[in-house]
């Protein structure tokens, strides 16, 4: 069977031709093809050959391929009516020779939309009757210049042969490799890592392993992860460039190659590490994923934290009652980003880890779905297992459903699982079924894994930590203040601090006060003190832009912006902040500072006023907070941060690349 590939002319959602809103194309009058709902206006050539037509209104470009296929790329629907001011710029003219994937035009999507026209890009093989037996589109989200359809040619049509090199050092090797993997028609796409050219083939059985191994310049052949890997060594980039140069730009994937290189570098580095280095590297990588997942929402968290702090202040001074609609509306404005945090974190963590962001956002929606939240908070408890309340069942299996609002760690773990599951699903599910069944299986499997396995594990860890903290607190308020103050914000990183909240709530609802909450408040002041030092010390405008609102947010009782945006990212600052928290917690416990409200940090000053009359808890809070803030600020200023830390973070990718080259 003779096959050729047609590349996607634009990036966007590739849809069947019959679904486009133009009867001339959708009914196949212009030949077989497909449509794309574009997300970017850059247009590339779908095939190598000559430009045979450019419409006067610039809305359509025709190509004749080297194999005789005649292809029409139609930019938008009814856009010919915009001929007086065409929203297109065409870089080619009739008679020009183009390579598949070469940039040929730009379309102004905003201008087309504002003119009430459809932006759908349609591609059709206009000589389908003479040339094509079957055209199979690769439906789903696509980039420009990737394989958009597989075309089966009629028997009398000559099959596209391997393009010969242009005389470069590695062109002959590239030609031989392409031929031995089954020719261009057997190649879906190709990427590379540090030492290997990695092919995604339609049929690995067509590749001649032994012949490729015996080629001069090839070290070995390997098969893993759905890839046919040709081991080249240090010259891999040159060989890859030669292969893509012969296949066409649309077959390469620079982004995927960069990811593969990073993974390969990490694998090689991991093999050389000592056990302790592996622990440090693993923890550093985890922190990198957490901060990378949180950075996009830090501004929202800071703004919401400030709003929540102002609302707490209004409530504490009895300017607004918690039962009024005013309070409810403002609280929703400040609390929504925290309540629905799993949705946002799912999206950003997926982008960080290479999974589908939209699917992970939907999974976050599953966890915050009202019925799930209700099941976790008010579900009937039918028993206990490992200290966890059994409040639901799944196909008859008793499970513990936890509350995931305000949480981040389950979603990051879920995104990691998705990054492993998604490639496997795409390998085993046929292309025509992926658009429906990949999201279906992913949502079911990842949501189920979080609710049935990860959630209970986190709950069990939280319960054990809570029991340990209570035990420590009973030993000595000062010692417990020192330990809790030093490590409480570490629990916040992993979402385990929610085990402490029920204890605080129980204290306040049963006794009207909470010594434990006073210690927790000290840790918030410390994080604010550390980020305040960075806001004043740094000369970088982008650091100041993050640090100032994070400082205000921390003093309003919300530390996530300070931690994820600044302190954790630059490492030592989180340690100096934690030392400040330990000092503040020690003094809070030593002074027996009590707290009669939920709102902590500096904004919660009125929570430390005893309803029966002002006592030393109020002054103890002021003293402990002042010393706490000074210690965190001073240590961070002196040891916890410098602008060189920012420069090192910015240079990290270059250093990694250098390390990769050295490693090989």
């Amino acid at each position: 069977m003779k096959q050729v590939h047609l590349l996607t002319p634009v990036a966007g959602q590739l849809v069947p031709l019959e679904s486009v809103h133009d009867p001339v194309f959708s009914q196949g009058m212009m030949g077989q093809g497909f449509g794309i709902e574009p997300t970017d206006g850059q247009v590339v050539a779908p095939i190598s050959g000559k430009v045979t037509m450019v419409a006067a209104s610039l809305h359509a470009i025709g190509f004749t391929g080297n194999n005789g296929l005649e292809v029409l790329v139609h930019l938008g629907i009814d856009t010919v009516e915009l001929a007086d001011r065409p929203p297109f710029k065409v870089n080619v003219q009739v008679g020009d020779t183009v390579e598949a994937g070469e940039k040929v035009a730009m379309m102004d999507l905003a201008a087309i939309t504002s003119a009430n026209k459809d932006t759908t890009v349609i591609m059709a093989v206009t000589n389908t009757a003479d040339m094509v037996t079957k055209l199979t589109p690769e439906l789903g989200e696509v980039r420009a210049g990737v394989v958009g359809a597989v075309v089966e040619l009629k028997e009398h049509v000559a099959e596209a042969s391997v393009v010969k090199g242009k005389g470069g050092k590695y062109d002959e090797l590239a030609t031989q490799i392409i031929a031995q993997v089954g020719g261009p028609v057997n190649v879906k796409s190709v990427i590379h890592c540090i030492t290997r050219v990695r092919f995604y083939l339609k049929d690995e059985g067509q590749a001649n392993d032994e012949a490729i191994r015996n080629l001069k310049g090839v070290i070995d052949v390997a098969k893993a992860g759905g890839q046919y890997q040709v081991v080249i060594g240090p010259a891999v980039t040159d060989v890859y460039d030669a292969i893509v140069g012969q296949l066409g730009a649309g077959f390469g994937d620079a982004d995927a190659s960069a990811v593969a290189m990073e993974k390969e570098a990490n694998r090689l580095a991991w093999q050389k590490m000592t056990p302790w280095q592996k622990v440090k590297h693993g923890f550093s990588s985890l922190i990198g994923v957490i901060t990378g997942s949180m950075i996009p929402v830090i501004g929202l968290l800071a703004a919401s934290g400030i709003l929540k702090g102002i609302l707490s202040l209004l409530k504490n001074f009895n300017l607004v009652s918690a039962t009024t609609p005013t309070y409810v509306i403002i609280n929703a404005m400040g609390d929504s980003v925290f309540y629905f945090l799993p949705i946002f974190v799912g999206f950003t963590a997926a982008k960080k880890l290479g999974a589908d962001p939209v699917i992970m956002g939907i999974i976050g929606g599953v966890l915050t779905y009202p019925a799930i939240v209700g099941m976790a908070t008010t579900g009937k408890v039918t028993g206990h297992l490992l200290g966890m309340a059994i409040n639901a069942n799944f196909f008859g299996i008793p499970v513990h459903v936890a509350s995931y609002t305000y949480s981040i760690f389950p979603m990051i773990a879920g995104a990691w699982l998705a990054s492993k599951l998604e490639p496997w699903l795409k390998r085993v599910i046929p292309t025509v079924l992926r658009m429906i069944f990949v999201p279906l299986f992913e949502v079911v499997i990842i949501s189920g894994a979080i609710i049935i396995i990860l959630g209970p594990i986190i709950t069990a860890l939280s319960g054990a930590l809570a029991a340990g903290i209570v035990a420590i607190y009973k030993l000595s308020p000062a010692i417990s203040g020192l330990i809790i103050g030093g490590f409480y914000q570490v629990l916040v990183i992993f979402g385990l601090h929610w085990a402490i909240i029920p204890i605080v709530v129980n204290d306040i609802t049963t006794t009207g006060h909470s010594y434990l909450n006073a210690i927790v408040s000290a840790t918030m002041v410390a994080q604010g003190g550390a980020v305040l030092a960075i806001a004043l010390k740094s000369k970088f405008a982008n650091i100041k832009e993050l640090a100032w609102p994070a400082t205000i947010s921390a003093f309003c009782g919300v530390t996530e912006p300070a931690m994820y945006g600044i302190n954790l990212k630059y490492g030592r600052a989180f340690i100096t902040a934690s030392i400040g928290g330990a000092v503040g917690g020690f003094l809070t416990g030593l002074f027996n500072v009590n707290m009669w409200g939920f709102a902590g940090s500096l904004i919660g000053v009125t929570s430390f006023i005893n309803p029966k009359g002002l006592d030393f808890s109020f002054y103890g809070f002021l003293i402990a907070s002042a010393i706490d803030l000074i210690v965190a600020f001073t240590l961070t200023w002196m040891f916890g941060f410098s602008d060189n830390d920012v420069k090192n973070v910015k240079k990290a990718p270059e250093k990694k690349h250098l390390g990769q080259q050295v490693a090989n």
Side-chain angles (χ1 to χ4, degrees):
M1 179 172 57
K2 301 175 182 179
Q3 294 182 335
V4 295
H5 291 154
L6 291 178
L7 305 190
T8 51
V10 293
Q13 187 73 24
L14 195 148
V15 298
L17 187 62
E18 55 267 24
S19 70
V20 303
H21 302 143
D22 187 315
V24 173
F25 287 101
S26 63
Q27 295 177 26
M29 297 180 189
M30 297 295 292
Q32 296 184 46
F34 55 82
I36 297 180
E37 307 296 344
T39 56
D40 185 82
Q42 180 176 290
V43 183
V44 303
I47 194 168
S48 296
K50 286 191 175 183
V51 178
T52 52
M53 187 273 289
V54 176
S57 58
L58 307 181
H59 75 288
I61 308 172
F63 304 86
T64 296
N66 296 331
N67 51 17
L69 285 182
E70 296 176 2
V71 178
L72 175 68
V73 176
H74 196 279
L75 307 176
I77 297 175
D78 294 333
T79 48
V80 65
E81 298 173 8
L82 307 177
D84 55 335
R85 296 186 64 184
F88 311 106
K89 291 183 179 179
V90 178
N91 307 328
V92 293
Q93 55 188 354
V94 174
D96 285 354
T97 299
V98 295
E99 295 293 329
E102 180 182 334
K103 297 177 185 178
V104 294
M106 283 292 297
M107 54 189 303
D108 188 338
L109 300 181
I112 296 172
T113 301
S114 64
N116 294 318
K117 302 299 180 185
D118 192 327
T119 59
T120 302
V121 173
I122 303 170
M123 195 173 81
V125 179
T126 55
N127 60 346
T128 292
D130 296 328
M131 302 284 290
V132 178
T133 298
K134 183 180 179 182
L135 185 149
T136 306
E138 304 280 342
L139 303 178
E141 194 73 25
V142 294
R143 293 178 295 104
V146 300
V147 176
V150 178
V151 180
E152 296 179 13
L153 301 175
K154 291 188 175 182
E155 288 299 321
H156 68 275
V157 179
E159 183 177 355
S161 60
V162 176
V163 180
K164 297 296 181 181
K166 299 178 181 179
K169 183 177 180 181
Y170 296 98
D171 275 1
E172 184 59 33
L173 176 59
T175 300
Q176 293 172 340
I177 291 174
I178 293 171
Q180 296 302 333
V181 297
V185 296
N186 194 39
V187 179
K188 292 181 181 177
S189 63
V190 59
I191 64 174
H192 74 92
C193 61
I194 302 174
T195 58
R196 308 178 184 201
V197 177
R198 300 171 177 238
F199 289 90
Y200 289 93
L201 302 178
K202 293 179 182 177
D203 180 7
E204 286 190 1
Q206 293 187 30
N208 189 332
D209 300 354
E210 200 57 37
I212 295 174
R213 285 193 182 97
N214 291 330
L215 292 175
K216 185 179 180 181
V218 173
I219 298 173
D220 198 4
V221 168
K223 301 174 184 179
Q227 299 171 340
Y228 188 88
Q229 304 175 0
V230 182
V231 184
I232 300 296
V236 64
T237 303
D238 298 309
V239 175
Y240 167 81
D241 288 342
I243 289 172
V244 171
Q246 294 180 27
L247 289 175
F251 286 83
D253 191 328
D255 293 339
S257 294
V259 171
M261 289 181 68
E262 184 174 350
K263 288 182 178 179
E264 182 71 4
N266 289 338
R267 184 185 67 81
L268 293 172
W270 181 266
Q271 292 176 346
K272 300 175 183 178
M273 290 180 185
T274 65
W276 174 241
Q277 287 176 325
K278 288 181 178 180
V279 172
K280 289 172 64 180
H281 176 76
F283 184 74
S284 176
S285 298
L286 176 61
I287 294 301
V289 170
I290 292 172
T291 55
S293 301
M294 294 301 296
I295 283 293
V297 295
I298 288 300
L300 278 172
L301 292 175
S304 297
I306 293 169
L307 187 56
K308 284 166 69 71
I310 293 172
L311 187 60
S312 296
L313 198 61
L314 293 174
K315 181 175 175 289
N316 286 338
F317 282 102
N318 296 318
L319 296 175
V320 173
S321 170
T323 60
T324 63
T326 301
Y327 179 91
V328 173
I329 293 171
I330 297 177
N331 188 55
M333 294 175 184
D335 205 38
S336 62
V337 67
F338 295 95
Y339 190 90
F340 296 109
L341 198 55
I343 297 175
F344 307 129
V345 172
F347 187 91
T348 56
K351 292 185 71 173
K352 177 73 176 176
L353 292 166
D356 189 310
V358 174
I359 293 176
M360 283 309 302
I362 295 298
I363 292 170
V366 172
L367 301 188
T368 55
Y369 192 74
I372 298 292
V373 175
M375 192 184 300
T377 54
T378 62
K380 182 180 179 181
V381 177
T382 58
H384 289 79
L385 179 65
L386 300 176
M388 298 179 294
I390 303 301
N391 55 4
N393 70 80
F394 188 73
F395 285 106
I397 302 172
V399 296
H400 169 80
V401 176
S403 178
Y404 298 99
T405 57
Y406 299 82
S407 66
I408 65 165
F409 198 67
M411 288 307 299
I412 291 176
W416 179 83
L417 286 175
S419 72
K420 305 300 179 185
L421 175 66
E422 212 170 276
W424 180 80
L425 288 175
K426 288 180 178 178
R427 286 198 302 272
V428 301
I429 297 175
T431 302
V432 295
L433 300 177
R434 285 179 192 167
M435 188 166 63
I436 296 174
F437 287 97
V438 168
L440 170 64
F441 286 121
E442 202 167 333
V443 168
V444 170
I445 293 171
I446 303 299
S447 298
I450 293 174
I451 293 173
I452 298 171
I453 301 172
L454 293 175
I457 290 174
I458 291 172
T459 300
L461 287 172
S462 298
L465 282 168
I469 287 171
V470 171
I472 292 171
Y473 187 80
K474 289 180 178 178
L475 289 174
S476 163
I479 294 175
S480 64
L482 179 71
I483 297 173
I484 297 169
F487 292 99
Y488 180 79
Q489 295 297 331
V490 176
L491 303 184
V492 174
I493 297 172
F494 299 103
L496 300 177
H497 65 298
W498 291 106
I500 313 301
I501 304 303
I503 299 174
V504 171
V505 172
N506 183 68
D507 285 347
I508 293 178
T509 55
T510 56
T511 67
H513 56 79
S514 173
Y515 291 100
L516 180 58
N517 203 29
I519 296 172
V520 170
S521 176
T523 69
M524 300 174 182
V525 176
Q527 291 293 328
V531 79
L532 174 62
I534 294 172
L536 292 171
K537 185 176 182 180
S538 179
K539 293 181 173 61
F540 288 107
N542 61 321
I543 297 299
K544 289 181 177 291
E545 288 172 4
L546 275 176
W548 278 115
T551 300
I552 298 171
S553 181
F555 290 154
C556 288
V558 178
T559 57
E560 284 87 349
M563 289 197 305
Y564 299 128
I566 300 289
N567 296 347
L568 265 177
K569 189 174 182 180
Y570 300 109
R572 298 193 312 276
F574 184 76
I575 296 173
T576 55
S578 296
I579 294 172
V583 172
F586 174 78
L587 293 174
T588 300
L590 185 67
F591 297 154
N592 287 308
V593 174
N594 206 347
M595 193 171 174
W596 285 267
F598 288 100
S601 195
L602 300 184
I603 198 76
V605 60
T606 57
S607 296
F608 295 86
I609 299 175
N610 190 334
K612 297 180 180 179
L614 202 63
D615 61 16
F616 190 71
S617 283
F618 179 74
Y619 301 110
F621 160 74
L622 295 179
I623 295 170
S625 295
I627 296 175
D628 178 357
L629 194 156
I630 291 170
V631 170
F633 181 97
T634 304
L635 289 178
T636 304
W637 185 284
M638 295 177 64
F639 311 109
F641 176 84
S642 75
D643 279 338
N644 285 331
D645 297 326
V646 182
K647 295 175 184 177
N648 291 337
V649 169
K650 289 180 179 179
K651 291 179 180 179
E654 288 183 17
K655 291 182 178 179
K656 182 184 287 185
H657 181 70
L658 179 62
Q660 290 169 346
Q661 297 301 321
V662 172
N664 286 277

